[in-house]
Amino acid sequence: MKKSRQILNEQELQALLQKLAAEISETEKTQGPFHLVGIHRRGVILAKRLLSLLEGPKRKLGSLDINLYRDDFAQSSTMPVLRETKIDFPVEKSRILLIDDVLFTGRTIRSALNAMMDLGRPQKVDLLVLVDRGGRELPIQADLVGLKLEVSDTENVAVRLKEIDKEEGVWLLGGNT
Amino acid sequence: MNHYLIKNVRIFDPENHLDQVGDLRISDGVIAEIGQNLNANSKETQIDGQDKILFPGFVDLHTHLREPGFEYKESIATGTQAAAAGGFTTICCMANTEPVNDNAAITRYILEKAQAAAAIEVWPIGAITQGLAGEKLAEIGEMKSAGCVGISDDGMTVMNSELMRMGMDYAKGFEIPVITHSIDANLSRNGSMHEGQVSCELGLKGVPAEAEDIIVARDIYLSQLTGCHLHVAHVSTAGSVELIRQAKQKGLVVTGEAAPHHFTLTDEACREYATHAKMCPPLRSEEHRQAVIAGLSDGTLDVIATDHAPHATIDKEIEFDKAAFGITGLETAFALSYALVLEKKLSLADLLKKLTVNPLKVLAKKYMGIQKSAPANLALVDLNKQWKYQVSESFSKSRNSPFDGWDLQGQVLMTWYQGKRVFDRE
Amino acid sequence: MAFDFPHILSMSNLSREAMEFIFETTDRFREIAGRPIKKVPALRGKTVINLFFENSTRTRTSFEIAGKRLSADVINISKSASSASKGESLVDTAKNLEAMSPDILVVRHGSAGAPLLLSKMLKARIINAGDGAHEHPTQALLDLLTIRDHKKNIAGLHVAIVGDIAHSRVARSNMIALRTFGAKVTVVGPKSLIPQEIKSFGVGVSYDLAKCIDQFDVIMMLRIQNERLGLTPFPSLREYSNFYGLNLNLLKCAKPDVVIMHPGPVNRGVEVAPEVADAPYSLILDQVKNGVAVRMALLYLLGGGENL
Ligand SMILES: [Zn+2]
């Protein structure tokens, strides 16, 4: 039997987002405002939610699909569904906060950075993740982290959001009982 | 060695008023004795004919042996061995070799080769025109003297009506039948299958049924004009069946032939660009197939002939429109034809006629069949045998059969030619 | 949906859902065409061979751009009719290509069914880029996408396909695709260029363009290909143009929102009058633009995953 354990419930997740929004505001005080770019699929939803929690300067929202930049395309046996890459502001010289749900090997972020660079040369890119579960295979670190977890290789962290999932919260899946 | 006693076999030759279970003795190349409870002598091989049937050997009016010139497709040796495996003891080989059989020297060459290498009787058919080019008459008289039994430009149609009239007049003078391959060359230009729904969907240029009808109609009129015996080979359309039917009613000397693939398959077999279903005349639609069967049933079509047309893989494993026309057919002909008996479209006696008596009649040859002192040309068949045709085991050099893997009923077990057992499935 | 087609050989294999999925994927690639850097690394390390037995600069270039924008290694091989007649058969060609282990083979061939034959002999994925008078699936996909861009729903539209229906692979692929989407299709042309059996595609037939032009939402003109006709089934290009060419005068009778399409290259003044080809209701350039995006989508969809 695979174990499944809830780490955050809906309210706790909401509180975590509040905390992250506050941290974004704090960072912007010294560095100036960011545009928020979410990575499909849950990063896009998180970016949208964070934007609604933020006040003050006008920030733009973008979405990024990284499938065309994956380094495992040739090996994957299922065909990924391509989603819209939509960034309505000039990437050139902008300050971007890249947003994803879980940071694991770092490969998704590598792909996202490449995808971003093809759209223009940003002045600075920061990374925000809801959960950093460790296990990096590339030298990539997040600037803003909601929750840090030490998770073994046999386990998986799942973020579920009510916009696309039946439930909301963070779960730890797998591992041995 | 060549002495056999076939015991308790159904001996079937209605032409000689034979349909009885009994014994038949083969000795010194001939049928020595037909009777009951015959005893084997010491030098005889005894064969148990229980539940089997013994036919006179079949005659194929339409075979391509490919020798000389295309020995990579077939040779006289391999082609006649395949024929023996199909129960045939006589085959007529078409003239489209390289060089073309359009003069007595080639005819003699084929007969000499056959004498040395053939498993069974080979009768050459000579060309109507030199090089099958449709321009000048071939030396029909000399070819007849050398041994040709009929003339045909098979594979081509003599498009010049004046020349065709001359050929038929000339052939009539020498009492040799003219066998026609009927397709209007212009109307069928670049066509590679039947013109119909399937060709339309596949985007392949089609050959309309009318391309055959037009030539059959013309040749029937020329037969009327010249009095020459017209034998229409491999009839594939409802139109030409009807034209031959009417010609016979008028009392003209016109006969017709059908090939097993035309009464077994339709143009649907060409889907997926299956080149083993590419032949000339093409496989037609279901209504044409039914008309051919009806023509066989009512006697309009006198003969079943194989149009055995072997081709090597390099001629067939290519683009459909570039692939060669034709399929092998000697080994599957009997079982595919017997299906008509099982479907009650033909009686067994009528089927046998179309494989023996009638082709000989077309060539004005005497029929001997099964009778005392006749040459022992015989086919032993198991009519109930269910079997799978495996083209990989064919005696032909070529493998171009659309019937590979087909489940068939009725199998030739042994064949004797002039008393010699030329095929034994065991 | 799972896109599990090993090859793109015929529109008859593609369901409406599969085509919708291709269109969705195409939308992603149209976005890339608007970027300063029009290249993505998706097919890096993959080999695409454009194997063209017939000349077609347009289609070949379109596939070439598509492959290069996906970072594939694109190799063009043109086999002229003369080299084929020197004795190298399609089987020989296939065996030689196999040694180069291409991932995707884009095939244009004068014989119907040639891409199917290659798909049976090679491990590579095959895209039919036009085979004889059989099919031209990528053209139909880009045509439908272009129609969808301008008319939203394809279902319920009445589309005319005008010209040499008998010899047209574009017509066959479009008839199948449009019928799959529920459009009404009428083929129009001289009777000598429309086979009787065309009705089995579920289309209507007219021999009089002037009489029925007011019914159509979309008019697709086909290219008259003299070289493929042999004996011409019509007396002259002039007479053909008079009865089956599109000019401003004839278009006065068409629906006000009619759009005109042509797979190109246009014989100006024969199928389409110059002022019609350049008019705002002419979608000819949109077709070209969509061609690259559709082909990128197909290369991407066939190039991913493990090639079996
Ligand atoms: Zn023939």
Side-chain angles (χ1 to χ4, degrees):
Chain A
M1 263 306 273
K2 290 262 174 154
K3 202 168 62 173
S4 164
R5 185 163 62 89
Q6 188 163 17
I7 292 171
L8 295 181
N9 63 25
E10 191 176 342
Q11 289 74 28
E12 290 164 333
L13 194 149
Q14 189 54 33
L16 197 58
L17 285 175
Q18 297 276 11
K19 185 194 92 166
L20 282 167
E23 284 179 20
I24 293 171
S25 300
E26 199 59 35
T27 314
E28 284 180 332
K29 273 183 196 157
T30 53
Q31 303 190 6
F34 287 111
H35 294 312
L36 272 48
V37 173
I39 299 173
H40 277 294
R41 299 178 71 191
R42 289 178 184 76
V44 174
I45 296 165
L46 292 175
K48 225 177 262 174
R49 290 216 202 152
L50 284 168
L51 187 73
S52 68
L53 296 173
L54 289 169
E55 285 166 9
K58 266 238 171 291
R59 304 170 188 84
K60 290 253 170 84
L61 191 66
S63 65
L64 206 56
D65 182 272
I66 57 104
N67 277 310
L68 295 173
Y69 292 83
R70 285 167 57 155
D71 57 10
D72 60 350
F73 180 56
Q75 285 87 47
S76 69
S77 52
T78 54
M79 178 54 57
V81 176
L82 295 186
R83 297 183 193 281
E84 193 174 28
T85 291
K86 192 164 189 270
I87 297 181
D88 290 338
F89 51 87
V91 171
E92 201 70 25
K93 292 184 182 147
S94 62
R95 307 166 55 75
I96 285 169
L97 183 63
L98 200 56
I99 297 168
D100 204 0
D101 54 349
V102 179
L103 177 59
F104 181 21
T105 61
R107 289 180 190 273
T108 299
I109 305 305
R110 196 281 305 164
S111 302
L113 288 171
N114 281 25
M116 183 91 70
M117 298 309 160
D118 276 359
L119 299 172
R121 185 176 184 275
Q123 188 198 328
K124 186 170 193 292
V125 181
D126 280 25
L127 175 63
L128 176 152
V129 295
L130 190 67
V131 180
D132 177 354
R133 56 151 292 176
R136 220 73 80 237
E137 294 171 2
L138 294 173
I140 282 169
Q141 303 305 332
D143 302 283
L144 300 173
V145 177
L147 182 65
K148 235 178 160 52
L149 292 173
E150 276 306 321
V151 174
S152 77
D153 284 354
T154 55
E155 291 169 305
N156 243 324
V157 174
V159 173
R160 294 183 187 137
L161 301 171
K162 57 190 173 208
E163 284 90 337
I164 52 174
D165 304 307
K166 285 195 200 92
E167 47 194 356
E168 178 144 326
V170 177
W171 277 262
L172 192 63
L173 309 178
N176 300 319
T177 40
Chain B
M1 184 68 186
N2 290 326
H3 302 276
Y4 300 91
L5 180 64
I6 308 166
K7 298 279 294 175
N8 300 316
V9 71
R10 181 180 171 197
I11 302 167
F12 190 81
D13 182 5
E15 202 65 14
N16 284 318
H17 312 289
L18 272 177
D19 184 3
Q20 64 185 57
V21 175
D23 306 342
L24 183 143
R25 173 168 284 139
I26 299 169
S27 186
D28 297 323
V30 298
I31 297 165
E33 199 177 2
I34 302 167
Q36 304 288 332
N37 303 316
L38 302 183
N39 290 319
N41 60 43
S42 58
K43 54 184 181 177
E44 274 176 342
T45 308
Q46 194 168 288
I47 290 153
D48 179 16
Q50 185 85 47
D51 301 324
K52 317 281 193 311
I53 190 164
L54 193 64
F55 291 124
F58 309 141
V59 178
D60 189 18
L61 268 191
H62 202 132
T63 310
H64 297 272
L65 286 179
R66 305 293 187 216
E67 188 176 352
F70 304 103
E71 286 84 353
Y72 71 100
K73 297 174 192 250
E74 194 78 285
S75 67
I76 289 171
T78 56
T80 53
Q81 193 49 246
F88 293 91
T89 51
T90 303
I91 55 174
C92 302
C93 59
M94 282 297 171
N96 59 343
T97 46
E98 177 59 44
V100 170
N101 182 17
D102 60 2
N103 63 72
I106 304 296
T107 306
R108 280 193 293 269
Y109 173 85
I110 292 168
L111 285 170
E112 277 161 26
K113 267 289 207 170
Q115 192 66 41
I120 57 166
E121 187 88 11
V122 173
W123 290 342
I125 289 172
I128 302 172
T129 68
Q130 292 175 25
L132 308 179
E135 287 161 3
K136 280 187 78 181
L137 289 184
E139 290 164 345
I140 296 165
E142 286 189 10
M143 286 193 291
K144 176 159 190 207
S145 304
C148 279
V149 294
I151 53 166
S152 177
D153 271 8
D154 186 56
M156 312 289 273
T157 296
V158 179
M159 283 304 293
N160 182 329
S161 303
E162 186 191 20
L163 181 64
M164 189 62 176
R165 184 251 169 107
M166 288 171 179
M168 290 177 80
D169 260 331
Y170 195 77
K172 169 69 182 167
F174 282 88
E175 288 301 338
I176 189 168
V178 171
I179 301 170
T180 51
H181 171 107
S182 327
I183 284 199
D184 185 298
N186 298 308
L187 205 43
S188 64
R189 193 171 45 86
N190 297 335
S192 51
M193 66 174 293
H194 174 60
E195 179 178 313
Q197 191 181 322
V198 181
S199 70
C200 183
E201 285 174 27
L202 293 179
L204 288 168
K205 181 124 196 291
V207 177
E210 286 73 8
E212 177 171 318
D213 305 344
I214 286 168
I215 298 299
V216 170
R218 180 200 71 172
D219 291 345
I220 286 172
Y221 279 115
L222 290 177
S223 167
Q224 180 177 304
L225 179 65
T226 61
C228 177
H229 179 180
L230 170 71
H231 178 70
V232 184
H234 43 51
V235 168
S236 75
T237 68
S240 37
V241 172
E242 184 53 28
L243 286 163
I244 295 167
R245 188 176 287 130
Q246 289 166 7
K248 288 187 160 182
Q249 278 162 9
K250 277 202 263 177
L252 300 178
V253 207
V254 175
T255 51
E257 144 197 321
H261 44 266
H262 286 130
F263 59 72
T264 306
L265 297 171
T266 66
D267 57 350
E268 290 288 334
C270 298
R271 286 198 188 276
E272 301 274 303
Y273 303 91
T275 53
H276 286 344
K278 181 180 177 181
M279 48 203 98
C280 186
L283 297 173
R284 303 283 183 186
S285 60
E286 180 62 16
E287 56 173 304
H288 292 292
R289 185 179 83 91
Q290 290 300 340
V292 169
I293 293 173
L296 286 165
S297 295
D298 71 6
T300 300
L301 301 178
D302 311 78
V303 172
I304 292 175
T306 66
D307 196 5
H308 175 79
H311 287 294
T313 310
I314 55 162
D315 303 316
K316 280 292 194 180
E317 205 176 79
I318 53 175
E319 300 89 317
F320 193 92
D321 56 356
K322 293 181 182 151
F325 292 101
I327 62 166
T328 59
L330 288 163
E331 293 167 344
T332 47
F334 178 76
L336 294 172
S337 305
Y338 185 59
L340 296 180
V341 176
L342 292 171
E343 290 161 23
K344 307 226 181 320
K345 300 285 167 53
L346 274 184
S347 69
L348 187 62
D350 280 344
L351 169 63
L352 187 64
K353 258 184 149 173
K354 291 176 198 298
L355 287 168
T356 54
V357 184
N358 291 355
L360 290 172
K361 259 189 205 157
V362 168
L363 305 176
K365 294 274 187 182
K366 189 167 176 255
Y367 176 76
M368 301 284 283
I370 302 180
Q371 53 177 296
K372 196 167 181 311
S373 304
N377 294 342
L378 300 162
L380 182 68
V381 173
D382 183 345
L383 290 178
N384 298 314
K385 175 81 175 177
Q386 314 267 346
W387 61 298
K388 203 183 264 301
Y389 180 62
Q390 302 285 7
V391 77
S392 57
E393 291 162 16
S394 172
F395 287 96
S396 170
K397 269 192 197 173
S398 292
R399 297 285 175 264
N400 53 313
S401 168
F403 304 113
D404 186 29
W406 274 44
D407 292 312
L408 302 171
Q409 183 176 339
Q411 190 179 48
V412 176
L413 302 176
M414 292 178 195
T415 307
W416 287 266
Y417 168 63
Q418 295 192 344
K420 193 177 154 203
R421 186 158 64 180
V422 289
F423 172 68
D424 179 1
R425 194 167 292 275
E426 296 297 296
Chain C
M1 70 159 282
F3 190 88
D4 50 6
F5 299 90
H7 312 289
I8 303 291
L9 300 173
S10 160
M11 294 310 289
S12 55
N13 306 330
L14 294 178
S15 63
R16 184 169 169 168
E17 289 68 36
M19 284 190 257
E20 298 270 20
F21 184 74
I22 293 169
F23 294 154
E24 264 170 56
T25 308
T26 304
D27 281 336
R28 304 286 90 84
F29 288 104
R30 289 207 276 197
E31 179 257 315
I32 291 168
R35 295 183 186 176
I37 296 171
K38 297 177 174 56
K39 196 170 177 130
V40 292
L43 292 190
R44 213 172 47 180
K46 300 268 178 179
T47 303
V48 175
I49 295 184
N50 287 329
L51 180 62
F52 276 59
F53 291 87
E54 281 183 338
N55 267 331
S56 170
T57 313
R58 272 175 181 245
T59 308
R60 203 210 63 222
T61 310
S62 182
F63 270 107
E64 190 174 351
I65 293 173
K68 287 184 169 165
R69 285 189 178 169
L70 289 167
S71 304
D73 297 316
V74 181
I75 294 154
N76 292 320
I77 299 179
S78 294
K79 295 262 173 187
S80 64
S82 63
S83 91
S85 67
K86 271 179 200 148
E88 197 189 51
S89 72
L90 194 59
V91 184
D92 297 330
T93 306
K95 281 177 186 156
N96 283 324
L97 286 175
E98 192 78 313
M100 301 182 217
S101 47
D103 297 286
I104 300 175
L105 206 60
V106 177
V107 183
R108 160 69 61 95
H109 199 290
S111 293
L116 175 73
L117 183 61
L118 282 170
S119 75
K120 289 176 180 168
M121 296 190 293
L122 293 169
K123 287 196 204 82
R125 309 293 187 96
I126 310 284
I127 298 179
N128 179 3
D131 62 332
H134 178 224
E135 285 215 42
H136 193 352
T138 60
Q139 179 71 42
L141 286 168
L142 73 90
D143 286 344
L144 261 69
L145 186 70
T146 308
I147 295 174
R148 203 186 63 156
D149 288 347
H150 287 83
K151 298 280 186 188
K152 295 204 172 63
N153 274 324
I154 295 171
L157 290 178
H158 192 173
V159 181
I161 306 178
V162 183
D164 180 1
I165 308 298
H167 303 91
S168 175
R169 50 193 169 216
V170 176
R172 275 176 184 71
S173 286
N174 264 308
M175 286 188 293
I176 297 168
L178 287 164
R179 295 295 297 139
T180 305
F181 266 87
K184 187 178 169 188
V185 179
T186 299
V187 295
V188 187
K191 187 167 186 303
S192 52
L193 287 177
I194 302 180
Q196 241 178 299
E197 296 80 9
I198 208 78
K199 287 175 183 149
S200 68
F201 285 89
V203 301
V205 174
S206 167
Y207 309 122
D208 189 341
L209 181 59
K211 206 165 147 188
C212 58
I213 193 164
D214 58 334
Q215 304 168 19
F216 305 127
D217 303 293
V218 179
I219 302 177
M220 270 185 198
M221 304 302 289
L222 298 174
R223 180 176 159 79
I224 281 292
Q225 280 168 310
N226 278 314
E227 65 274 14
R228 207 171 287 156
L229 295 177
L231 278 183
T232 44
F234 52 87
S236 66
L237 283 180
R238 203 179 64 84
E239 176 158 324
Y240 176 87
S241 177
N242 279 343
F243 286 94
Y244 301 102
L246 263 191
N247 53 45
L248 287 178
N249 211 23
L250 192 58
L251 272 175
K252 278 183 201 149
C253 310
K255 285 188 180 179
D257 59 347
V258 73
V259 290
I260 311 297
M261 301 171 77
H262 191 294
V266 181
N267 291 314
R268 282 173 177 251
V270 180
E271 302 112 22
V272 183
E275 55 277 19
V276 171
D278 301 331
Y281 46 76
S282 158
L283 307 183
I284 297 172
L285 290 178
D286 303 59
Q287 287 173 276
V288 177
K289 206 188 275 179
N290 283 337
V292 174
V294 161
R295 285 162 184 140
M296 281 176 86
L298 289 176
L299 289 174
Y300 172 73
L301 291 172
L302 292 191
E306 287 170 88
N307 283 351
L308 298 173

